[in-house]
Amino acid sequence: MTAAIAITALNVNRGGLPIVQDVSAAVMPASWFGVIGANGSGKTTLRRAIAGRLPIAQGRCVVFGEERAQDRGARAQVIGFAPPIEHFPASLRLRQLLELAGDPLEAQHERNGDLWDALGLKELLDIPAGECSSGMRQRAAIALAFAKPCPIVILDEPFNWLDPVAAFDVRAVLARLVAEGLALITALHDLTTLCGFCDSGIVMAKGRVSLTLDTDRLRAGRNDPVRFESDLVAALR
Amino acid sequence: MSDGLTLLVLVPLLALFARAWLAALPDDLRELVVFGATSLFATLLAKALIERLWFHRTDGVLARDAQRADDGIAFFGPLALAGAAVGLSVLAVLGLVDPTGMVLGVCSGLPAGALFPFLREHVRRWWRRFAPTGLRSLAQIRLSLPKAAALSVMVGMVSLALPSAHCLDAVFIGVYALGVILLTAQVDARVVRYMTLVGHEGASLLRHWLPLQLCLLGPLAIVLLLAQEPVSTTVAAIIAAALPVVTALRIFAYRAVSRLVGDWAVALVILAAVYAGLTAPPLGPVVIVAAIIWFARRGVGFRWLLA
């Protein structure tokens, strides 16, 4: 089976400094890939580079069998990405943010109805971004990643700011979308989601992969969370 | 870094240009400029300080102190005086020294700026409370393009029906154009950045802002041209051409550089275009078009980018 994304020896620089070095991983279709790491470990840079939001300095990035490392636009076209909430213009309503980012609103609602329900988005559409709380903006950011139909979606710590009910519902919808074929990459800080929902993942430290998490290891983590956490913390240090 | 360098080069150049221009003004006009500039600066300074104080009262880490009137005055007073001193020094560097005008400007500007935020909030509250719903929703009306074009044609017909004595028709066109400028010329740099981030190309950015302007002004210019009204046609044609061009310039500038540098650059390009247009007329549009192309090319790489 062709991987949705396969990166090999990937290097990404920011401001001339190497932030991500020699990272390799593969994400299959219909799978949830978790990226976990300490603050400043290069998670955000890696995700942005894969999503075409940053250039790749070196290495390979194969998307559905085609080499795209040097074609940032092509990666951005096929990968849904949640823009950081601080980039939302205060003057625009959430409805306008969604319309500008993808399909007409009706089409988005028709396609992502369950996700919108889980996010409680319909009630937020007419609120200007400048008047939204961080949680409201985070809901919009998740919906923005699905504003266009994309086979791969990358979300940055999607459950931050969400209340427990919304987080629970959104997790369930995302799991269903993955089961239907979506390749989902998320940065995570909570081990519950990592063990309970992800099929594979990596742990990053100082810009490199310090631990690879395959399905068996994640399954073992579900059964013995204390041991899993201590292994993970050791890899993060 | 490049923004900082741009400012480092542009600000002294602009200051030299302004100093030379101001030195050539007649004395009475220069005194008026001193008063106006001082007053405007003092107003903006006081307004900014009051709004900053409000921020400290609600969201700042010193909210407890900022709530006290004495501490509020202690925050506002010294900063207002220090800011005024800096502003007056800048005016002196520009060759604008007139003690009377400066004192009058500071004394009128500071209270006006300090009162403005209170007045604005009062008016907003009043508007929310008393303005009829229909009137409030007027501000949110999005005119469709066919309706905009129809409105434009209608304005052209009305202006043709007006007597041309005292250029009444041209004044009518000017007032209408001013309304169009106020309603459609706002380009929010953050919206340009957001649209670029979510993948909009240059043409798509233009499609977001320009069609309404063109529909509101283009048909009007054509109607007047067909009716062979020289004064009104000239006014309408100049605005119909200039507004979309300046809007495009701002869009591409905001995409390529920061908002601050973009505003400065657009102002300088317009100045240069006007100067070129007055000295060698065909050069004016060339300057603008060259600047648009330069900004457009520079901004291409920012599509999708999240640096």
Side-chain angles (χ1 to χ4, degrees):
Chain A
M1 190 186 213
T2 308
I5 290 183
I7 53 174
T8 312
L10 202 75
N11 286 264
V12 187
N13 298 340
R14 293 186 83 170
L17 296 172
I19 305 296
V20 171
Q21 297 174 70
D22 199 25
V23 170
S24 299
V27 183
M28 303 308 286
S31 74
W32 189 332
F33 187 86
V35 182
I36 199 159
N39 301 128
S41 59
K43 300 189 302 289
T44 300
T45 301
L46 174 66
R47 281 190 318 277
R48 289 182 182 181
I50 293 172
R53 270 65 181 183
L54 281 177
I56 290 171
Q58 217 178 345
R60 298 189 69 206
C61 180
V62 179
V63 182
F64 288 112
E66 295 195 29
E67 174 58 54
R68 297 290 188 204
Q70 295 311 314
D71 192 347
R72 194 166 62 78
R75 297 199 304 277
Q77 292 278 8
V78 296
I79 299 176
F81 185 79
I85 59 174
E86 64 271 18
H87 285 261
F88 293 176
S91 60
L92 294 188
R93 292 164 200 280
L94 299 190
R95 167 192 302 280
Q96 293 167 301
L97 293 180
L98 286 160
E99 281 169 343
L100 287 173
D103 295 333
L105 213 57
E106 294 75 25
Q108 289 188 44
H109 182 239
E110 198 177 320
R111 194 176 60 243
N112 305 321
D114 290 349
L115 183 65
W116 279 35
D117 289 344
L119 293 167
L121 204 64
K122 277 179 96 173
E123 294 74 35
L124 308 178
L125 289 176
D126 288 314
I127 304 176
E131 292 175 18
C132 287
S133 68
S134 298
M136 291 171 171
R137 288 175 182 223
Q138 180 69 354
R139 288 164 192 248
I142 294 171
L144 281 166
F146 293 86
K148 285 180 184 167
C150 291
I152 305 164
V153 167
I154 297 182
L155 298 173
D156 189 2
E157 296 168 25
F159 310 115
N160 281 3
W161 312 104
L162 295 189
D163 61 64
V165 175
F168 181 87
D169 290 347
V170 171
R171 249 194 314 258
V173 174
L174 291 178
R176 189 177 55 71
L177 292 173
V178 167
E180 289 170 2
L182 178 73
L184 179 64
I185 301 172
T186 56
L188 294 166
H189 280 313
D190 70 305
L191 303 185
T192 315
T193 307
L194 183 67
C195 288
F197 290 86
C198 291
D199 302 295
S200 57
I202 51 172
V203 180
M204 290 191 69
K206 295 173 186 164
R208 295 174 185 272
V209 175
S210 61
L211 185 67
T212 302
L213 303 167
D214 56 19
T215 310
D216 291 340
R217 191 188 282 261
L218 290 171
R219 203 168 290 149
R222 261 173 248 169
N223 299 328
D224 188 356
V226 176
R227 168 104 184 252
F228 181 74
E229 185 177 14
S230 95
D231 288 350
L232 209 62
V233 169
L236 286 170
R237 284 188 198 282
Chain B
M1 184 64 186
S2 62
D3 289 357
L5 275 175
T6 313
L7 275 180
L8 209 65
V9 174
L10 285 185
V11 170
L13 269 177
L14 202 67
L16 278 173
F17 178 76
R19 192 182 164 95
W21 180 71
L22 291 164
L25 290 178
D27 284 349
D28 52 345
L29 187 57
R30 199 161 58 241
E31 285 167 10
L32 201 64
V33 170
V34 172
F35 170 73
T38 314
S39 181
L40 180 68
F41 177 77
T43 304
L44 293 176
L45 174 69
K47 174 181 166 288
L49 286 174
I50 290 292
E51 285 171 346
R52 191 66 189 160
L53 182 61
W54 285 2
F55 165 79
H56 282 308
R57 283 186 171 167
T58 53
D59 298 319
V61 289
L62 302 171
R64 187 167 167 271
D65 297 319
Q67 295 285 340
R68 286 197 287 264
D70 289 354
D71 287 337
I73 293 167
F75 170 83
F76 181 86
L79 284 177
L81 290 177
V86 171
L88 295 181
S89 307
V90 171
L91 289 183
V93 169
L94 294 175
L96 293 173
V97 182
D98 172 32
T100 315
M102 286 173 160
V103 169
L104 283 176
V106 170
C107 290
S108 61
L110 283 180
L115 285 175
F116 177 77
F118 294 98
L119 189 67
R120 185 189 58 203
E121 291 308 307
H122 187 74
V123 169
R124 276 184 186 164
R125 274 200 298 273
W126 178 87
W127 176 259
R128 279 196 289 264
R129 194 168 167 191
F130 294 112
T133 315
L135 202 58
R136 271 181 295 181
S137 59
L138 196 66
Q140 291 172 13
I141 284 179
R142 295 284 175 268
L143 209 54
S144 68
L145 297 184
K147 282 182 185 169
L151 176 68
S152 182
V153 170
M154 202 171 74
V155 168
M157 306 296 262
V158 171
S159 81
L160 288 176
L162 287 172
S164 54
H166 308 296
C167 294
L168 198 60
D169 48 352
V171 171
F172 177 71
I173 298 297
V175 170
Y176 169 75
L178 188 67
V180 173
I181 291 170
L182 288 174
L183 287 172
T184 68
Q186 287 182 352
V187 178
D188 185 340
R190 285 178 63 93
V191 175
V192 174
R193 283 285 171 151
Y194 173 77
M195 290 178 69
T196 307
L197 169 63
V198 295
H200 286 261
E201 293 175 318
S204 172
L205 294 173
L206 296 181
R207 274 200 302 276
H208 185 73
W209 271 278
L210 298 194
L212 187 60
Q213 290 183 353
L214 292 170
C215 286
L216 283 168
L217 293 170
L220 166 67
I222 292 168
V223 166
L224 294 174
L225 189 68
L226 291 174
Q228 297 182 326
E229 287 286 330
V231 180
S232 304
T233 305
T234 308
V235 172
I238 287 174
I239 297 169
L243 182 61
V245 167
V246 172
T247 304
L249 179 64
R250 290 178 71 197
I251 290 168
F252 286 128
Y254 288 150
R255 185 176 69 154
V257 293
S258 70
R259 184 191 163 182
L260 177 69
V261 176
D263 282 336
W264 278 96
V266 167
L268 282 176
V269 168
I270 291 172
L271 264 176
V274 169
Y275 182 74
L278 290 174
T279 48
L283 277 183
V286 172
V287 170
I288 296 251
V289 170
I292 289 176
I293 292 171
W294 187 80
F295 279 124
R297 288 170 66 102
R298 192 186 150 111
V300 166
F302 287 93
R303 187 179 177 212
W304 303 108
L305 191 70
L306 189 53

